[in-house]
Amino acid sequence: MANISERIAEVQYRIEQACLRAGRLREEVQVIAVTKYVDAEITKQVLDAGCFHIGESRVQQAVPKWNQLGDKGIWHFIGHLQRNKAKEIVGRFEYLHALESLQLAAELDKRCANLDSKIKCFIQVNVSGEKTKFGISPVELNDFARSMANFSHIELAGLMTMAPNTPNREEVRPVFRELRRLQKELQRQHIAVPHLSMGMSQDFEIAIEEGATFVRLGSILVGTSS
Ligand SMILES: *Cc1c(COP(=O)(O)O)cnc(C)c1O
């Protein structure tokens, strides 16, 4: 297993190449190191190696880690969040990547108001339509995005999707392309959705070619099997 700095360097190189292919600037793409597989010790190594965006997906593991390392990075909650856990995330995590219900939005908004803080949220869109995936359907997106204006403590960061888990990497491209199209559609209506959170270890280069501004990378950076 290569050490973390070597892995980061390799990923940086692949991101640069994908940006070149797509005619994009390297600065447009940010890496979120997904540390849900590893303990606080390894998470600290990731931070020390210069990856400041940290992604976690389970409240029980994320909160103790944040309590140790919170001030060292920018924290993204990338998993499905239950409403009764929203209070744990607010005030700790700057970003939430999987907003898909107005009830959760209302709860986050209320909790943020109590702390006089804000949270940046991505709307998760189930572009592929798989029943096993979370996220709102593309046809609901317009109304959903508009209703974000009702929550003064939520800042709409952008859209997020997960591609199908398939060995055929090109099957994922249309999913990423569709999320970008949905972003443009909202932008035409003057709804600000600056970011696209898409692409994981298996498919981040395709996501970058299709416009990702945040890629969420776990196993390629901290997994044991690559
Ligand atoms: C685990 C996870 C990732 C990272 O996946 P890898 O394939 O290990 O890179 C990205 N996004 C979400 C939402 C995840 O739960």
Side-chain angles (χ1 to χ4, degrees):
M1 173 175 155
N3 74 33
I4 285 168
S5 314
E6 284 165 10
R7 289 188 186 204
I8 291 171
E10 165 75 15
V11 163
Q12 295 292 1
Y13 176 76
R14 287 173 60 181
I15 291 174
E16 278 165 28
Q17 295 301 309
C19 286
L20 277 177
R21 284 196 296 279
R24 300 185 61 199
L25 298 173
R26 174 63 188 85
E27 308 86 272
E28 292 173 20
V29 182
Q30 305 196 68
V31 173
I32 300 169
V34 176
T35 50
K36 66 186 183 189
Y37 309 109
V38 296
D39 60 15
E41 178 61 31
I42 307 270
T43 304
K44 184 168 179 302
Q45 290 177 24
V46 170
L47 285 159
D48 289 344
C51 271
F52 298 117
H53 291 278
I54 296 291
E56 285 283 332
S57 67
R58 281 182 212 92
V59 173
Q60 259 181 316
Q61 293 162 3
V63 170
K65 261 189 213 171
W66 187 93
N67 289 342
Q68 277 188 54
L69 303 168
D71 58 344
K72 298 193 190 325
I74 298 167
W75 293 70
H76 298 249
F77 196 83
I78 62 172
H80 180 68
L81 181 64
Q82 287 172 330
R83 195 158 30 135
N84 62 2
K85 304 270 172 65
K87 59 178 180 294
E88 310 285 348
I89 294 313
V90 162
R92 292 190 168 101
F93 282 70
E94 194 160 323
Y95 291 87
L96 179 86
H97 285 248
L99 184 63
E100 55 149 25
S101 91
L102 292 178
Q103 289 90 335
L104 177 60
E107 179 69 18
L108 289 164
D109 194 58
K110 188 180 85 183
R111 296 285 173 183
C112 282
N114 289 344
L115 295 181
D116 195 20
S117 71
K118 281 198 169 192
I119 188 160
K120 297 172 187 158
C121 291
F122 287 83
I123 300 172
Q124 183 172 1
V125 187
N126 185 357
V127 174
S128 66
E130 291 166 280
K131 290 212 168 57
T132 52
K133 288 225 184 336
F134 289 110
I136 65 168
S137 95
V139 295
E140 299 170 306
L141 178 60
N142 220 306
D143 287 348
F144 194 96
R146 280 185 184 285
S147 46
M148 287 303 111
N150 300 327
F151 304 113
S152 53
H153 298 269
I154 292 180
E155 192 178 308
L156 192 48
L159 306 178
M160 178 274 216
T161 201
M162 312 243 311
N165 184 4
T166 156
N168 179 1
R169 296 168 76 229
E170 286 303 319
E171 253 178 70
V172 306
R173 189 182 295 278
V175 171
F176 294 146
R177 190 165 289 178
E178 177 64 7
L179 196 69
R180 172 108 170 91
R181 195 191 64 77
L182 292 166
Q183 179 195 34
K184 283 190 184 148
E185 205 172 287
L186 293 175
Q187 286 170 337
R188 261 198 302 277
Q189 301 170 61
H190 309 289
I191 300 174
V193 272
H195 291 289
L196 291 177
S197 166
M198 58 188 194
M200 313 189 345
S201 294
Q202 291 306 317
D203 52 27
F204 68 97
E205 288 150 308
I206 300 173
I208 290 169
E209 288 166 19
E210 297 302 329
T213 61
F214 278 107
V215 291
R216 308 179 308 269
L217 304 180
S219 38
I220 198 169
L221 291 178
V222 295
T224 50
S225 64
S226 63

